[in-house]
Amino acid sequence: MTINKYSTQFIDNIDISAVKKSLTSEYITQGTYNKIFEQNLSKHTKSKYSLVLNSATSALHVACLSLNLKKNDIVWTSVNSFVASSNCALYCGAKVDFIDIDINTFNISIEFFKQKLKKAKKNKTLPKIVIVVHIGGNPCDMKEIKNLSKKYNFKVIEDASHALGASYKNSLIGSCEYSDISIFSYYPVKMITTGEGGSLHTNNKNIFKKASMLRSHGITKNVRSPTTKKFENWYYEQIYLGFNYRMSDINASLGISQLKKLDKFLRKRNLLANEYNKLFDLNKYVNYQKIEKNNLSSYHLYILMINENSEVNNYQLMEYLSKFKIGTQLHYLPIHLQPYYKKLGFRKGDFLNAEKYSRKALSIPLNFHMRLKDIRFISNKINKYFGI
Ligand SMILES: *Cc1c(COP(=O)(O)O)cnc(C)c1O
């Protein structure tokens, strides 16, 4: 049950009571639960402003618009991510390009990034926004990224969908110490869940104000009525073309309850991942994700990559593991190879590291329900497959 999927949510009776309680409160959307969840997230991430939305995809869209992304502007993101990381730019009519990954960290390669920026400067095709992704919860090199953003004048969004609870050096992911905006996802398999949901974090008041309006139809209530010249409960004005990207209080109540368990989730995931690491150190045919010193991964995923010592491809190992009801998944098929993106002009061969990764990497089970003996069972099967 706990190892037949690469991940699954953990919901207990405390969560269930919390949601029940929310159902009988005066408001079931945009009430006190939304506010409390936002306050708790700000406290947790140490970001000044937090905004909860109905998904991380919505949060990414609103993030791009809040940074004034316009038609024909350019956005770069990691080619190894979920499609939402780049779709948000297309929603705004912007153009998308990708950065290839580092084959050890599975995050964007800073070397490739630098080369690409140099070239783009010459060609006058520098990005307005770069969306970095902490894959599996492994923090990107944010200091380098921030320095580059100053040198080449682009904004930084952290797609931290995987990384709630992770930290980069002494800085929590979500604090926005090295970025303009960070976003999280509360989709069931992520670090904590609200069913569907996401959040946006920033330290910039103007970004927050615009994002808040965009979440709810581009409307503000912070204006005086022209008839009474006063702030009125019933009076609002639409300033932007916004959306209904609101989170309900029912979902927020689950989020508040889940956030209290984050430290527990984080400790368990790190404990289990370290056990995997230890056991895979015995296997010269596989590498696990490299976490840089002084960083803490949230370990949303445990990603294994078959290395050059073996001809085996990931789907073969996946098939073998499925015989033992061990569920695995590839995170991700490179975005540029999705049929929709191929139609935009991307081709096989454009991002070789990510393409190799997509043939050799797989996410193996890691979730809060698992025990050390599950880790030993799975790594044993994998090591045996390679004759170890
Ligand atoms: C899950 C995920 C998203 C989208 O999250 P939703 O809340 O489902 O919209 C975006 N980016 C990455 C990297 C993700 O893993």
Side-chain angles (χ1 to χ4, degrees):
M1 199 294 249
T2 60
I3 65 169
N4 63 358
K5 295 200 257 342
Y6 77 89
S7 194
T8 184
Q9 71 274 14
F10 176 83
I11 292 190
D12 63 10
N13 285 328
I14 300 171
D15 294 326
I16 293 167
S17 312
V19 174
K20 263 194 191 160
K21 203 168 152 210
S22 80
L23 284 166
T24 52
S25 52
E26 190 179 357
Y27 299 102
I28 56 171
T29 189
Q30 297 286 288
T32 49
Y33 289 94
N34 256 255
K35 292 234 165 61
I36 293 168
F37 192 26
E38 285 170 348
Q39 282 163 6
N40 293 357
L41 284 167
S42 274
K43 231 183 274 166
H44 176 83
T45 58
K46 300 191 165 58
S47 61
K48 255 196 195 146
Y49 305 102
S50 297
L51 192 73
V52 295
L53 302 97
N54 62 355
S55 73
T57 304
S58 304
L60 283 165
H61 185 194
V62 161
C64 288
L65 292 172
S66 303
L67 295 174
N68 298 319
L69 189 68
K70 297 264 158 56
K71 197 169 173 213
N72 293 328
D73 284 339
I74 298 170
V75 174
W76 291 0
T77 187
S78 172
V79 74
N80 180 34
S81 186
F82 185 55
V83 291
S85 305
S86 59
N87 285 347
C88 58
L90 300 183
Y91 298 157
C92 305
K95 292 179 187 153
V96 174
D97 201 356
F98 299 102
I99 309 163
D100 204 355
I101 59 168
D102 178 278
I103 216 68
N104 299 306
T105 65
F106 314 149
N107 284 329
I108 55 166
S109 148
I110 298 293
E111 271 324 296
F112 288 152
F113 190 17
K114 283 181 180 165
Q115 287 167 19
K116 200 175 172 86
L117 284 166
K118 257 190 207 153
K119 223 170 157 187
K121 188 172 179 185
K122 257 195 219 144
N123 302 338
K124 298 200 170 21
T125 54
L126 281 170
K128 178 165 182 172
I129 300 175
V130 175
I131 302 174
V132 299
V133 184
H134 308 298
I135 203 82
N138 183 19
C140 294
D141 194 342
M142 293 310 299
K143 262 193 185 154
E144 283 277 7
I145 290 163
K146 178 149 192 187
N147 286 340
L148 290 170
S149 78
K150 282 193 200 142
K151 185 168 172 192
Y152 292 97
N153 196 28
F154 57 81
K155 303 280 185 199
V156 178
I157 298 174
E158 293 175 71
D159 180 346
S161 291
H162 298 181
L164 185 69
S167 47
Y168 170 77
K169 299 187 192 291
N170 290 321
S171 159
L172 271 168
I173 298 296
S175 68
C176 303
E177 192 177 336
Y178 302 97
S179 64
D180 297 282
I181 297 176
S182 299
I183 69 105
F184 293 111
S185 170
Y186 305 119
Y187 182 76
V189 293
K190 306 290 164 79
M191 291 303 292
I192 65 167
T193 188
T194 59
E196 295 277 4
S199 62
L200 178 155
H201 305 268
T202 183
N203 295 321
N204 180 308
K205 194 171 182 181
N206 291 329
I207 291 174
F208 174 69
K209 269 188 174 164
K210 187 166 178 187
S212 310
M213 282 191 245
L214 288 169
R215 173 175 70 174
S216 193
H217 307 283
I219 278 172
T220 179
K221 286 192 164 173
N222 201 14
V223 280
R224 287 171 203 272
S225 141
T227 45
T228 67
K229 313 282 185 234
K230 283 194 293 202
F231 296 102
E232 306 283 2
N233 264 337
W234 53 268
Y235 191 74
Y236 61 83
E237 287 179 0
Q238 185 193 341
I239 311 296
Y240 302 109
L241 183 61
F243 313 91
N244 178 356
Y245 281 170
R246 297 185 303 254
M247 178 183 276
S248 85
D249 259 22
I250 305 167
N251 299 83
S253 70
L254 180 56
I256 294 166
S257 180
Q258 284 263 302
L259 187 59
K260 291 179 188 154
K261 294 193 246 290
L262 178 63
D263 283 341
K264 202 166 78 172
F265 289 169
L266 208 60
R267 271 200 302 273
K268 179 87 178 270
R269 284 179 173 277
N270 272 271
L271 174 85
L272 298 175
N274 286 331
E275 184 71 8
Y276 266 144
N277 289 351
K278 213 172 71 192
L279 294 163
F280 291 131
D281 275 337
L282 309 169
N283 185 339
K284 66 172 188 197
Y285 301 101
V286 294
N287 297 343
Y288 48 82
Q289 190 175 23
K290 184 178 177 202
I291 317 293
E292 295 293 348
K293 244 196 353 220
N294 302 322
N295 293 350
L296 179 76
S297 176
S298 58
Y299 275 112
H300 159 58
L301 301 172
Y302 189 88
I303 307 170
L304 205 59
M305 189 165 163
I306 303 157
N307 64 32
E308 52 289 340
N309 292 329
S310 169
E311 294 295 312
V312 166
N313 280 335
N314 52 8
Y315 71 90
Q316 293 163 306
L317 183 55
M318 278 172 155
E319 211 170 83
Y320 163 81
L321 291 172
S322 71
K323 286 187 197 140
F324 304 100
K325 300 204 165 28
I326 299 170
T328 56
Q329 175 67 288
L330 165 65
H331 296 97
Y332 295 92
L333 181 74
I335 300 176
H336 74 292
L337 295 183
Q338 294 290 352
Y340 186 85
Y341 281 84
K342 277 198 193 154
K343 273 197 234 153
L344 299 180
F346 295 102
R347 293 214 169 18
K348 203 169 168 178
D350 285 349
F351 303 97
L352 288 171
N353 278 359
E355 291 176 25
K356 181 172 170 196
Y357 170 96
S358 73
R359 293 189 299 273
K360 296 286 188 176
L362 80 169
S363 304
I364 62 175
L366 184 67
N367 60 66
F368 186 75
H369 303 269
M370 288 170 67
R371 304 197 210 145
L372 285 169
K373 72 173 199 291
D374 299 314
I375 301 293
R376 290 182 198 123
F377 173 78
I378 294 165
S379 40
N380 219 334
K381 292 288 179 238
I382 293 173
N383 286 347
K384 259 204 187 125
Y385 181 77
F386 289 98
I388 285 150

